[in-house]
Structure formats: C-alpha cells, structure tokens
Amino acid sequence: MKSFLSLAAALAVSLGIVLVAGYPVSPIDEEYVLVNNKCQCVTVTSRFVPSKENPDEEVLERNIRIIVPLKARENISDPLSPLRTTFVYRLSELCKNCDPVEIDLGGAIHQAQQGNSCEEPQTCYTYDRNQCYSSPVPLLFHGQVKQVPAALTPASCLAE
C-alpha cells in the first residue's frame, strides 16, 4: 500500500510538468480529462479550485484515478494464465500521443507524432475495446474436438 501511495504521489508531481492540455468532462463541469487510458484503467483529471491559503486565488488540482482490475490475467487472452500481481504505471507511456499529425515545414507537408517509442506494444491490464482479442476454445464437430478461436471482444474483431 505504501508503494502505491508513493507511486500516486510521484505521478501527481510529474503531471504538473508533463500534461498541459485536456478536454472537459462535461459542458458545465470545470474538470478536464488529461489522460483516459482504458487499457491500463487510468484516468487523470485537472481543475482549478480555490486556494486554501488565499481563497481569492485558484490553484490547479490534479486527480489520478487508477482502477486495479481484480482477477486480471498475465495474458488477458488466456483465461488459464496466472493472475497478474504486478501493475506498472509509467507516466510517459500513459501520456504518449502516437497519432500522426500533418505539419507544414517550409511549404512541405510532413507527418509527425508527439510520442516516441510508439512501436512498442502497450501492456494492457484489461481489454482494450479497440483491439481484437481471441482465445482458443474446444468445439465438438462431427465427433472430433477442434480448437477454434473465439472472439473475446467481438465488436473490435468484426470487419466494418
């Protein structure tokens, strides 16, 4: 528990340096979502609140919500793999933006991305609804048992 609190504190301090933009939670809410990583079950929000020292002044408050999924497997596509006991949250991985953006440099359009190490696979603690996961299941067909892949996240496995 102590290491979890120190991790949360380290993330909170680091967020003050790394994150600068976000989107509002709702039109009337003053809280902004900076990170919403459904794959690693992390949401980071920020909002301005009155200062405790000076009520006329506002300070930026950041909230980090980490949901640790119980009974998560080491290999989420394999229901027989051992339960995951270690969860690692790296701020740089949560905040990386690998979506390419077109920029104009000297009259030429170039594609750039804000994140580095985008080729490395992301460690997922729960199902990423945008990725297709499957697991082999036994199927009895004409008296023979065959292993066939079954979609664990059907919506992302079906072609549009």
Side-chain angles (χ1 to χ4, degrees), residues 33-108:
V33 175
L34 304 175
V35 173
N36 188 8
N37 189 319
K38 292 179 178 149
C39 190
Q40 290 193 340
C41 307
V42 176
T43 305
V44 180
T45 59
S46 70
R47 67 180 176 156
F48 284 101
V49 294
S51 171
K52 292 178 182 174
E53 292 84 23
N54 183 0
D56 297 331
E57 191 176 277
E58 286 187 331
V59 294
L60 186 64
E61 173 186 85
R62 292 223 166 88
N63 295 305
I64 303 169
R65 179 178 172 227
I66 300 174
I67 299 172
V68 178
L70 299 176
K71 299 186 180 180
R73 300 286 177 180
E74 287 290 335
N75 178 358
I76 61 176
S77 296
D78 181 7
L80 300 177
S81 67
L83 288 176
R84 181 178 289 279
T85 57
T86 304
F87 297 87
V88 178
Y89 296 92
R90 291 187 177 92
L91 186 63
S92 60
E93 289 179 12
L94 292 174
C95 301
K96 72 179 174 184
N97 184 1
C98 292
D99 297 331
V101 177
E102 290 185 354
I103 56 171
D104 183 6
L105 291 174

